[in-house]
Structure formats: C-alpha cells, structure tokens
Amino acid sequence: MVFPASMAQQNHGPQMLTANRLRDGDVLYRKSDGWVLVLADGDVFADQAGADAALAEAQAEMARNEFVAPYLFEVRVVNGVTQPVKEREIIRAAGPTVRADLGKQSGMVNV
Amino acid sequence: MSEVAPNMYRYDEFDARFVAERTAQFRVQVERRLKGELTEDQFKPLRLMNGLYLQLHAYMLRVAVPYGTISSRQIRMLAYIARKYDKGYGHFTTRQNIQYNWPKLVDVPDILSDLASVEMHAIQTSGNCIRNVTADHFAGASADEIEDPRPLAEIIRQWSSLHPEFVFLPRKFKIAVSGAPQDRAALKYHDMAVEIVRNAQGRTGYKVLVGGGMGRTPYIGQVLGEFVEKQDILAFLEAAMRVYNEQGRRDNIYKARIKILTHALGIEEMRRQVLREFAEIKQGGNLQLPQAELDRITAYFAPPAFDTGLPDTIADAGKDFVNWVKTNVHPHRAPGYTIATITLKTPGQVPGDATSEQMEAIADLMDTYSVGEVRVTHEQNLVLPHVRKKDLPAIYAKLKELDFACANAGLITDIIACPGLDYCDLANARSIPIAQSIALKFADLDRQHEIGELKIKISGCINACGHHHAGHIGILGVDKKGVEFYQLQLGGSGAEDASIGEIMGPGFTEHEIAGAVERVVNAYIKTRKPGERFLDTYRRLGMAPFKDAAYEKEAA
C-alpha cells in the first residue's frame, strides 16, 4: 500500500484523516477511534504530532478490513466551519461538482 | 420490442467458460478480501485485473466493449446494471468502453455475472497487459472502407487475451485497427496500430504502426511494417511485442511505454530487431494465421442483409433535421443506407454520460432501425451503423425526445473530456465543467456550423485520457498551488493528418478558459481562407495570431 506520506510531511496547518470504506468505497473521516461519513463530523488535528498519531493508529487498524488507503489532508477552519484546502478534497467531501444529486452533497449518505 | 441479434462475434464454448470461471474466481477473491484473508496490497492487483479501480468517491468499474460494438441485448444489460447497482447512468469513454462510477465492492461479483450473461466482462481494461482492442466505429458500414477491421480486432483480442508472454508487460499496451483511409480510430496515437491497406497489385494486407501515444511524452506512431501479409500479422505483432517485452524500461513508469523504446532505438533499429524476431517466428511456422480461421471469424461480422430498392435520398424534415443530417449522418457502403452518429454532447450535458432510460431507448432504436447494433466511439458518442435513409426523420424525432439530437458531430461542442477531478483519483483539475462551459458558450447551432469542424479535447491531468494532445484545440488541466489552471494547446490532430498540439503559454483560470477559447476561435474566423478548417488556418499561420488573441483580454 502506498500512502501519500509526502502529503503529511508538507502539511503544517490543521489536518484531517480520511480513507475509503472497503465494502462500498465510500469516503470516511476519522472521529476518535472510529470513522464518520461527513467531513464536518470528523476530527481536526491541530498539530502534526496529533495527525501523525491518528494516521499511525489507523494504519494499525487496517487488519480489521473495514477501510482502505488512509491519509492526511490539510484543512482550514473559518468561522468554525472546516473546509479542505485543496479542490480534490472539497470535491471528495461533497461529490461531483457537475452532479449535485450525487455523492454526499445529495443528502443521501449511506450508513 | 423484439430484440434483434446483430452480426457480431459470439462467444464459443471456450470464451463462455473462461469468462464464467474468471467471474467465479473473482467472487471468491472478493469474499476473501471482505473476510480479511487478503490484504489490500494482495487484493488490489486482482481487482484491477477485473477492471475495478478505487476513485475519489467510490469504486469504478470499467467494462470492456471490444472494438466498440454493442448489441441491443448488451446495452439493455448495461442499463439494468446502472439502475440496479449504480446511480442510474454510465459513462462512455475515449477507449470505447463504459465505466460505472459508484459500484459497491460487495456487488461487483454479481455485476460481472450479469455482464457474463450477455458475453461481456471487465478483463483487460486495466493493468500492464494488451488492453481492449479499439477500432474504427464505422467498421463494416462506411463507404470508404477497404475491409471490415473487426475480424482482425477479434483475432488480436483472442491472441492477446492471457497470452503467457504478455501478461506482465512493462506497461499497458493499446492497439487500434482500421480498414479505411480516413482515420477515425486515432491510429497514430496508439502503442501499435494496424491499418488495412491495398498494395499496388490490388491485394489487401496490413500496415503496422508503432510507438504512438499521449501522456506526458506524446509521440506520433511510425510505420513499422509497410505491408504485412494477412497470414503473417500475428507473427509480426508478436515479434514487436517480444522486442518491447525484452527491452522496454521497467525502472520508470513514465518511460515504460513502447513509444519511449521506439524513440530511444530509432524506428530503423526497431524495425531491424522486429524483423529479426519476425523471421524467427515465421521459421517456427506456429503463428501463421490460417485462412480458414480468418474466414470463420470474418463470418461472424458478415454484413447484414441490406434491403434493396430503397430510396437513396433523405427527406427534408425541417432546418434542425437538415443540420443534423449535415453533421451526424455519414456515407454508407449500401445504397439507401447511412450511418448516424448520436452525440452524447448536447450543450450542458456531461460528455459521454447516458442514463439507464436513455440506453434502453437507444436499444429500441437499434432494434427498430439499425439491426440491433450500436457502436461506441473514442469521441464518446454512439453510432447507429446501418440505418435506412428513409428512417432518419423517425430516428431524429426519437433522439430529440432523449435530448441526444444535437447537430454537432465534429463541431466545437462535440468535446471529448475525461472524468477529471470530479471523479478521477489521478486528476489535477476538473474537465467536465470546462467542457460544459465551452459548449454552452457556443451553443448556438448556426454559429457552430459557421465555425465548422473543430475538435476540442480536454484532459484533467497529463495522462491525457481526454486526448488533449490530439485536439485542434487541446486543454490540459493543471494544479497550481491547489488552484485549477488550464493550458491551451493548438494544432493537434488524431486523424490521418495526425499532429501533436503546441502549448500556447501560461494557463487560464477556470473562469477565463472558455473566453480564451472564444477569442482563439474568433481569430480563426477573421483570418481563415475559404474552405479552411481551424486546423488548416492554424497550420498556415502558426501560433502567434491565436496566442495574441487568447491573451488579449488577460493583458488588458
């Protein structure tokens, strides 16, 4: 498994931890020692040490076969609202920008 | 609606058993992965061998459509799969395949089983193997064709499927075939391509090209064999594959395609080595293509029984219809017949997407008007290959109901766009909204027809799935510090006059790019000579006037 570790090394701002659910590929966000489906519900790691620890913990849990490809990504928190810095993660958290009826933005989140 | 069975390759016992066994095997592999008996590292190559990727939002399943030919029975199954297991639509790709963007891993074994029931699968749509063979989408129908290329495409498919020497190539390998002088299959942009040609004695054989490709290092394919005799084609292709397999680089994924080897060796040396291998294989005598086998495969693709005595004229059914005929209807080999392109590109649509309902309605059209057959094009459109001219008004009326009746085949809004950052894990920028914004800017049909042939192709990263190098106007999305930018390239072509587009200069933002394209097009309109396409004017004048126009507003 290739983890985009370089992403974590480059980040200095707050970060979140994400992965995809094994059985259906849905996007997950880390919350305490589990996962949630909505970015706004996930944990934000203010410092690199906290983010790295969460990633290491997730990697150790991969043997449970519930999720794949965990990695960290940078976010910014504006007026209490968490938003990814990069377009890729904004789209991943919402769904295709060309189909508002698809993905998490559709309000039909699979649990 | 009674289903019509077109003349196309039908699985024999070996094919059916092989696909069924492979499907059953993958079911067990998925079960083992879900139970934790396989790690993701162990499972990933297995799922990729079955066309299953993990993308931005979900898994993505790429289903092979050999040489772009689909029967009505098959497209109804594709519609059913989209509705039952996905989100009610599929995406036709630049490789003549169809992709589903939302399948669940737990459902994929059932999807593959359903596909197998209509002689379809997802094998060889991923990995470092010889991928699904593509072909001229007018094969067996067009007036300019020397021979139908699909029998050869099928023979190449059978030869390359699980060939023990070619299951672990340095990199993926794409082969295209065509039987007509007009290149509608982008032959010169393939790792290897075969064009059916006729020699001075009037005998047909094969011209073989090698070393074309897109990606970060685009090359135009070069002639490896000017005229290969029919019975020798597999020996010749195998010789080329052996040279590549032995010498292709494996240390760097970006240097591993045959185009890099061809460029490094030079075409003369490449040819010398291939001919040496070819002589050895021929001496062994094991890879001669028997005429009986060629005839057996060719019989599957026998032309349908065309009606005779049909009117060879097209009724005038209004201005919109006449415009559609002008762009979307093409000369057929049989009197009274024609070929109709269904562009999945009405301005505002996602290029290449079709819903389950649209696919089913097209299946009805296929059964009623086109011997139960449709083709997928590398330009992300569909083609009804055998249509009576007298039926065109009825077909057009039905397409209007489906919102697939835009008279824009080959025009500025008939844009190729990869899935881009809206779906793809590799993308740096979005492609689809750029295609939509350009298409909407040029939505006026009179204006499109006034501009004439102009092919825009958009990729969301340097891998070039949107063929931007081959666009008359190519657009490449890049990521600049987290922001999407779009570089313009001009002068590319994927046709018989193939060329690689030239990069204009600094990129434009998402909001600027459609305006920049419009200024380039306006510069063309001002400077073109009678009869010149955009590409012709660009080739005559070069980049300067178009570059000045594109940056005019940005500099102001």
Side-chain angles (χ1 to χ4, degrees):
Chain A
M1 177 65 56
V2 178
F3 298 110
S6 57
M7 221 179 246
Q9 288 160 6
Q10 289 166 5
N11 288 337
H12 299 290
Q15 294 172 79
M16 294 183 71
L17 178 60
T18 185
N20 289 82
R21 191 158 57 187
L22 173 64
R23 67 183 168 87
D24 60 7
D26 207 343
V27 176
L28 303 171
Y29 298 98
R30 188 72 167 179
K31 183 174 178 61
S32 59
D33 59 353
W35 299 92
V36 292
L37 289 158
V38 178
L39 181 139
D41 296 339
D43 291 336
V44 175
F45 306 102
D47 56 61
Q48 192 65 48
D52 289 344
L55 178 60
E57 192 181 0
Q59 286 170 346
E61 289 171 7
M62 286 189 67
R64 284 172 14 196
N65 300 301
E66 292 166 355
F67 60 90
V68 296
Y71 65 90
L72 296 164
F73 65 96
E74 205 171 6
V75 296
R76 58 170 74 94
V77 182
V78 181
N79 299 327
V81 177
T82 305
Q83 198 183 22
V85 170
K86 292 209 165 182
E87 187 71 25
R88 170 194 159 87
E89 294 303 330
I90 293 171
I91 293 171
R92 210 163 155 265
T97 63
V98 292
R99 289 287 302 264
D101 59 324
L102 297 177
K104 295 175 187 298
Q105 63 197 342
S106 69
M108 297 185 295
V109 173
N110 284 330
V111 181
Chain B
M1 177 74 50
S2 65
E3 220 157 56
V4 177
N7 291 345
M8 58 190 281
Y9 183 72
R10 308 303 302 259
Y11 280 11
D12 60 16
E13 269 181 43
F14 172 84
D15 296 315
R17 193 173 64 243
F18 164 63
V19 172
E21 286 175 357
R22 182 71 172 263
T23 302
Q25 183 188 54
F26 190 59
R27 185 179 294 280
V28 174
Q29 289 164 346
V30 170
E31 283 168 9
R32 292 183 67 203
R33 174 70 187 111
L34 291 167
K35 280 193 259 178
E37 294 172 11
L38 295 173
T39 66
E40 186 61 15
D41 281 354
Q42 293 161 344
F43 179 66
K44 186 176 175 182
L46 300 175
R47 70 168 159 77
L48 288 176
M49 284 169 69
N50 289 280
L52 188 63
Y53 291 73
L54 183 58
Q55 295 284 36
L56 272 195
H57 311 290
Y59 291 97
M60 179 273 281
L61 182 67
R62 182 179 295 152
V63 177
V65 180
Y67 31 91
T69 297
I70 311 182
S71 69
S72 59
R73 179 167 169 247
Q74 289 173 327
I75 202 167
R76 285 194 178 93
M77 177 56 78
L78 295 175
Y80 168 81
I81 287 169
R83 183 180 292 119
K84 180 170 182 187
Y85 302 105
D86 209 85
K87 305 278 189 188
Y89 71 103
H91 176 72
F92 291 103
T93 77
T94 54
R95 295 270 310 141
Q96 296 181 303
N97 292 323
I98 184 169
Q99 294 181 175
Y100 295 106
N101 287 314
W102 306 89
K104 296 177 170 66
L105 176 61
V106 292
D107 289 336
V108 171
D110 288 341
I111 298 174
L112 294 182
S113 187
D114 286 344
L115 286 170
S117 74
V118 293
E119 303 185 352
M120 297 186 85
H121 57 70
I123 300 163
Q124 286 178 289
T125 61
S126 177
N128 295 336
C129 59
I130 296 179
R131 299 285 187 91
N132 186 39
V133 179
T134 54
D136 180 357
H137 43 263
F138 291 172
S142 75
D144 66 343
E145 188 172 271
I146 296 171
E147 265 178 26
D148 187 340
R150 291 173 302 163
L152 177 62
E154 175 56 30
I155 286 165
I156 293 173
R157 186 194 71 76
Q158 294 189 15
W159 159 76
S160 65
S161 293
L162 300 178
H163 190 303
E165 281 189 43
F166 308 143
V167 292
F168 187 58
L169 294 171
R171 196 75 178 91
K172 59 187 169 184
F173 202 94
K174 299 174 181 177
I175 300 177
V177 294
S178 172
Q182 186 181 344
D183 182 1
R184 291 175 285 262
L187 296 181
K188 291 177 183 169
Y189 273 106
H190 282 77
D191 293 288
M192 209 142 65
V194 184
E195 180 187 348
I196 299 172
V197 291
R198 192 172 275 133
N199 70 6
Q201 290 74 45
R203 206 168 65 250
T204 54
Y206 303 123
K207 182 196 272 191
V208 178
L209 307 175
V210 71
M214 302 209 191
R216 69 182 59 210
T217 317
Y219 283 115
I220 300 293
Q222 300 177 74
V223 177
L224 186 63
E226 196 67 58
F227 189 86
V228 178
E229 298 289 349
K230 282 187 168 180
Q231 69 271 19
D232 290 334
I233 187 62
L234 290 185
F236 193 85
L237 296 180
E238 184 139 326
M241 295 304 298
R242 278 190 183 170
V243 170
Y244 171 53
N245 214 7
E246 282 174 9
Q247 299 189 49
R249 287 179 61 172
R250 292 176 184 265
D251 60 318
N252 182 338
I253 190 174
Y254 303 115
K255 306 274 186 196
R257 298 287 287 269
I258 198 172
K259 62 187 175 183
I260 303 293
L261 178 65
T262 306
H263 186 69
L265 292 177
I267 188 65
E268 297 298 333
E269 175 60 14
M270 183 80 178
R271 191 179 295 122
R272 191 188 68 76
Q273 295 194 19
V274 169
L275 289 176
R276 192 182 58 196
E277 286 286 343
F278 177 56
E280 276 183 31
I281 295 171
K282 271 191 79 168
Q283 207 169 18
N286 297 324
L287 211 55
Q288 289 252 313
L289 184 58
Q291 187 61 42
E293 184 61 6
L294 184 58
D295 291 345
R296 188 182 74 84
I297 300 290
T298 302
Y300 284 110
F301 300 94
F306 294 118
D307 294 343
T308 54
L310 292 172
D312 207 25
T313 53
I314 298 171
D316 182 348
K319 184 188 168 192
D320 290 350
F321 173 75
V322 169
N323 272 334
W324 182 74
V325 168
K326 207 186 301 176
T327 52
N328 291 44
V329 168
H330 320 278
H332 195 280
R333 60 200 285 184
Y337 279 81
T338 192
I339 304 167
T341 296
I342 304 169
T343 49
L344 311 182
K345 316 276 182 65
T346 299
Q349 288 177 350
V350 175
D353 276 11
T355 65
S356 295
E357 292 72 25
Q358 287 169 326
M359 285 190 256
E360 285 163 345
I362 286 168
D364 291 347
L365 279 177
M366 292 156 65
D367 283 335
T368 309
Y369 299 112
S370 190
V371 298
E373 187 179 342
V374 81
R375 310 283 173 74
V376 184
T377 82
H378 80 272
E379 294 182 322
Q380 298 177 287
N381 293 321
L382 298 176
V383 165
L384 298 172
H386 306 295
V387 169
R388 296 178 201 88
K389 287 182 178 175
K390 70 183 178 66
D391 291 334
L392 283 172
I395 292 169
Y396 178 73
K398 186 67 191 173
L399 291 175
K400 273 194 107 160
E401 287 174 24
L402 300 176
D403 205 13
F404 279 159
C406 194
N408 63 349
L411 302 184
I412 192 167
T413 61
D414 184 9
I415 299 170
I416 288 182
C418 72
L421 193 55
D422 278 302
Y423 291 99
C424 179
D425 193 43
L426 299 174
N428 292 320
R430 289 170 296 158
S431 302
I432 297 167
I434 304 306
Q436 289 173 316
S437 66
I438 293 170
L440 289 170
K441 190 174 269 297
F442 290 95
D444 182 87
L445 257 190
D446 289 338
R447 188 180 181 198
Q448 288 187 54
H449 281 251
E450 161 69 13
I451 293 166
E453 182 185 305
L454 206 169
K455 303 200 174 194
I456 296 183
K457 303 177 196 260
I458 308 173
S459 303
C461 79
I462 196 65
N463 291 306
C465 295
H467 295 188
H468 65 279
H469 294 299
H472 298 178
I473 297 178
I475 299 174
L476 170 64
V478 297
D479 177 320
K480 258 166 81 173
K481 296 180 181 169
V483 179
E484 296 161 300
F485 273 82
Y486 296 90
Q487 291 178 348
L488 274 179
Q489 290 184 206
L490 303 185
S493 169
E496 60 279 6
D497 60 351
S499 55
I500 298 167
E502 185 188 354
I503 297 172
M504 178 182 278
F508 298 88
T509 67
E510 171 195 354
H511 303 292
E512 292 167 346
I513 184 66
V517 168
E518 187 172 40
R519 291 191 293 279
V520 166
V521 171
N522 289 342
Y524 153 65
I525 297 289
K526 271 188 213 159
T527 54
R528 70 179 170 184
K529 289 184 173 174
E532 273 188 345
R533 303 169 300 164
F534 173 85
L535 187 60
D536 303 323
T537 305
Y538 173 81
R539 285 174 174 170
R540 177 169 57 82
L541 295 177
M543 178 66 81
F546 300 102
K547 185 172 181 177
D548 289 347
Y551 291 110
E552 196 174 283
K553 190 178 170 193
E554 272 32 84

